[in-house]
Amino acid sequence: MATHKISTKFLSIERVEKIIDRKMKLELSQEAIDSVQKCRAYLDKKTDTEKEPIYGVTTGFGSLCNRSISKEDLSTLQRNLVISHACGVGNEVPQEIVQLMLLMKIQSLSYGHSGVQLDTIQRLVDFFNKGVYPVVYQQGSLGASGDLAPLAHLSLPLIGMGEVYYRGKKYPASVINEKFGWTPITLQSKEGLALLNGTQFMSSYAVWLLMKSRKLSWMADIIAAVSLDAFDGRIEPFNLCVHMVRPHAGQITTAAHMLQLLDGSEIIKRHKEHVQDPYSFRCIPQVHGASKDSIQHVQDVVETEINSVTDNPTVFPDEDIVVSAGNFHGQPLALVLDFLSIAMAELGNISERRIYQLIAGKRELPSFLVKNPGLNSGFMIPQYAAASIVNQNKAFTMPCSTDSIESSQGQEDHVSMGANAATKCYLVVNNVEKILGIELFNAAQALEFRRPMKSSPFIEDFVAAYREFVPFVENDTYMHELIQKSIDFVNGVHVVME
């Protein structure tokens, strides 16, 4: 079984994807162990000798920061913090994102600036390695004092409370702790705050969304290439000379990808009666490319975040200081998650427009892509479904990051709302997958009306693989099942992004 060592080595999105896909186990490096133990020892000494109050260590939290706590109550203070902040509501967070939350929290705590015990971080490693995923809820975080409510739910099983999933079944955390012989952790000073402060709810959603968005961006090109040939589109808009004089990286990459996908197509090479294609075909490099560039910017921000310390206060043993500041504030993530929602929604928007062109009875394609329109409604209503999803995404792209609601009696007077930006973006990205599945459903159907001419070898192989799941539609049939199979196909395809 492959192992990933938690260390200060840069953790990239690609590396996270390998950890998840290969079901790698986590192990704390000696570097991480030493850093965590050094920080904890320093904080214990600081607590014993420091006469001035240390926020969150010897004081209350938020607007209660001026309330001093006696030494004998420090552990109770941290336990109370976790219990009282577990106020999540709404739907449960998907387990694949909770898994990422564990990884992100372990990574952030391992740098030795948070003051946690080694036992605490090791128990989080055990949760990850054994596939024990705490039940976390989607609503409740303002994305500012860290993702307090969701991270409280993530932390409850450490103290023997809350619920967890294990092998797909939900259990009280106490049952699973007993199963593995895990004694509930007695939280020491600062530990509850270290666990609850941080952006791991937002950043874990962001990591998942990036992994999904990168794939869907590449799939959007492939499906658009099928649509272009099925629509008898022109190749000239993808000429690299055009894109080198407007050299946006994503635009050039998309044009080159389209040329590669269509290389060897008989259909693309044949004489065209039409001089131009509609924008949804002609501007694929410009629109898809802009989304690619947006995804890359989001990735840059997210990778910085997941390689950061985001709890508060921050402990610096070498400098002999404990600093109360604001690294838990989710503004960097909030902004780019709203940005990612817009960028991905646009891939769905232009995809639906290609669907509309394919069913319009243009360029020798039959109305609604069936041989006997009128008797058959054919592909009329799949376009309705895609349009409905596009409309929903337009509503979901209303930014969360432009809002702030004061909390904690005014002490926390500006919040990022990044958690809501994350869960909303999750809906947008999954919707885009559905729209692309519907476009492929239409494009593959339309391509059959170009026979006996063939598309490129790549597209012919791609459509042949698709046909193993979704057949050509001769006459009206139960479309829901075919649409779902098409979406599942898009979800299941492994793409190599080169």
Side-chain angles (χ1 to χ4, degrees):
M1 181 69 71
T3 300
H4 169 77
K5 286 207 170 187
I6 299 293
S7 69
T8 56
K9 186 177 180 181
F10 183 78
L11 184 64
S12 66
I13 298 299
E14 288 83 359
R15 181 61 178 173
V16 173
E17 200 158 12
K18 286 182 181 178
I19 293 169
I20 301 304
D21 289 348
R22 298 180 184 179
K23 297 179 172 58
M24 297 173 75
K25 301 297 184 183
L26 302 183
E27 180 183 328
L28 294 174
S29 66
Q30 191 60 49
E31 173 191 27
I33 292 171
D34 291 345
S35 295
V36 169
Q37 290 181 323
K38 178 181 178 180
C39 186
R40 184 67 232 175
Y42 165 79
L43 190 62
D44 285 340
K45 183 178 179 181
K46 188 78 169 176
T47 304
D48 288 339
T49 60
E50 182 64 50
K51 295 180 180 179
E52 294 296 318
I54 304 172
Y55 171 73
V57 180
T58 59
T59 75
F61 312 106
S63 64
L64 300 174
C65 60
N66 294 319
R67 300 288 182 92
S68 294
I69 307 298
S70 64
K71 185 177 180 180
E72 56 270 20
D73 288 332
L74 295 185
S75 179
T76 302
L77 173 71
Q78 301 301 318
R79 179 183 173 84
N80 286 350
L81 178 72
V82 174
I83 296 169
S84 67
H85 284 48
C87 296
V89 293
N91 295 329
E92 293 178 5
V93 175
Q95 290 179 55
E96 61 265 29
I97 293 178
V98 175
Q99 182 185 24
L100 289 171
M101 289 176 69
L102 289 170
L103 173 58
M104 297 306 133
K105 179 52 80 174
I106 292 164
Q107 183 70 30
S108 184
L109 295 177
S110 72
Y111 294 116
H113 293 291
S114 300
V116 296
Q117 300 174 86
L118 183 59
D119 286 349
T120 301
I121 191 170
Q122 183 58 56
R123 182 63 53 80
L124 293 172
V125 171
D126 292 339
F127 284 174
F128 185 96
N129 289 343
K130 296 293 186 181
V132 175
Y133 304 131
V135 175
V136 182
Y137 298 94
Q138 292 182 15
Q139 294 174 303
S141 172
L142 299 179
S145 296
D147 289 310
L148 295 174
L151 290 177
H153 285 281
L154 187 78
S155 303
L156 279 174
L158 291 171
I159 59 175
M161 299 182 69
E163 295 178 305
V164 298
Y165 279 101
Y166 177 65
R167 295 185 175 177
K169 187 177 178 181
K170 189 187 294 187
Y171 297 90
S174 57
V175 172
I176 297 301
N177 283 351
E178 185 177 347
K179 173 181 173 60
F180 289 109
W182 294 334
T183 302
I185 301 290
T186 300
L187 298 177
Q188 301 301 307
S189 63
K190 168 73 168 66
E191 283 202 282
L193 203 58
L195 290 165
L196 271 57
N197 271 183
T199 60
Q200 286 76 40
F201 178 81
M202 290 176 276
S203 61
S204 297
Y205 265 95
V207 167
W208 187 92
L209 288 163
L210 278 169
M211 292 190 294
K212 186 89 165 182
S213 296
R214 280 154 44 99
K215 174 187 172 180
L216 290 180
S217 172
W218 211 245
M219 280 295 292
D221 291 352
I222 295 170
I223 294 168
V226 180
S227 292
L228 182 75
D229 242 8
F231 194 63
D232 195 26
R234 301 186 69 98
I235 196 66
E236 290 85 353
F238 308 98
N239 188 308
L240 291 180
C241 293
V242 173
H243 306 288
M244 294 309 295
V245 296
R246 194 200 191 194
H248 292 291
Q251 183 173 326
I252 294 170
T253 299
T254 304
H257 192 206
M258 293 292 290
L259 290 174
Q260 180 185 35
L261 293 168
L262 291 159
D263 185 40
S265 169
E266 297 174 10
I267 302 170
I268 206 74
K269 291 178 182 175
R270 78 172 186 168
H271 174 73
K272 310 293 182 183
E273 297 295 332
H274 42 278
V275 177
Q276 283 188 335
D277 291 329
Y279 286 1
S280 58
F281 293 96
R282 193 181 354 146
C283 298
I284 288 169
Q286 290 78 10
V287 178
H288 287 205
S291 290
K292 285 185 178 66
D293 287 339
S294 301
I295 292 168
Q296 184 58 56
H297 172 63
V298 175
Q299 181 169 336
D300 292 343
V301 173
V302 172
E303 286 184 334
T304 297
E305 188 75 5
I306 66 175
N307 288 277
S308 300
V309 178
T310 58
D311 61 312
N312 179 61
T314 313
V315 184
F316 297 93
D318 292 340
E319 291 79 9
D320 188 22
I321 53 174
V322 180
V323 182
S324 180
N327 273 359
F328 48 61
H329 200 294
Q331 194 74 0
L333 290 174
L335 291 173
V336 296
L337 284 164
D338 280 337
F339 188 29
L340 184 60
S341 291
I342 294 168
M344 292 304 293
E346 279 301 286
L347 289 181
N349 201 340
I350 196 171
S351 172
E352 185 278 329
R353 290 293 80 199
R354 290 190 293 265
I355 295 168
Y356 185 83
Q357 295 288 351
L358 288 170
I359 66 172
K362 301 176 181 178
R363 300 188 181 180
E364 301 175 348
L365 291 175
S367 293
F368 303 114
L369 301 178
V370 283
K371 292 178 181 177
N372 298 303
L375 176 64
N376 293 292
S377 294
F379 284 66
M380 180 189 296
I381 306 304
Q383 183 267 328
Y384 285 38
S388 171
I389 299 168
V390 167
N391 172 261
Q392 189 178 68
N393 270 359
K394 289 176 181 178
F396 288 161
T397 54
M398 174 70 182
C400 292
S401 57
T402 54
D403 184 35
S404 178
I405 299 174
E406 183 177 302
S407 59
S408 195
Q409 296 180 345
Q411 182 75 357
E412 298 163 10
D413 58 348
H414 180 277
V415 299
S416 76
M417 296 299 181
N420 286 343
T423 54
K424 182 168 61 65
C425 189
Y426 181 83
L427 299 173
V428 169
V429 170
N430 282 322
N431 274 347
V432 171
E433 183 175 72
K434 296 171 189 174
I435 298 163
L436 290 173
I438 296 172
E439 182 185 356
L440 181 55
F441 187 39
N442 282 261
Q445 179 79 5
L447 191 64
E448 297 302 323
F449 292 100
R450 299 297 175 195
R451 303 304 184 199
M453 298 192 77
K454 290 186 176 294
S455 186
S456 68
F458 177 89
I459 290 175
E460 290 293 341
D461 289 345
F462 179 76
V463 173
Y466 177 74
R467 284 286 174 242
E468 293 182 12
F469 296 87
V470 182
F472 177 78
V473 177
E474 290 281 356
N475 296 295
D476 279 351
T477 187
Y478 182 36
M479 298 294 251
H480 163 77
E481 287 184 347
L482 300 182
I483 290 171
Q484 189 57 55
K485 287 181 179 179
S486 189
I487 295 167
D488 291 344
F489 179 84
V490 171
N491 176 262
V493 169
H494 175 73
V495 296
V496 179
M497 292 175 279
E498 295 178 348

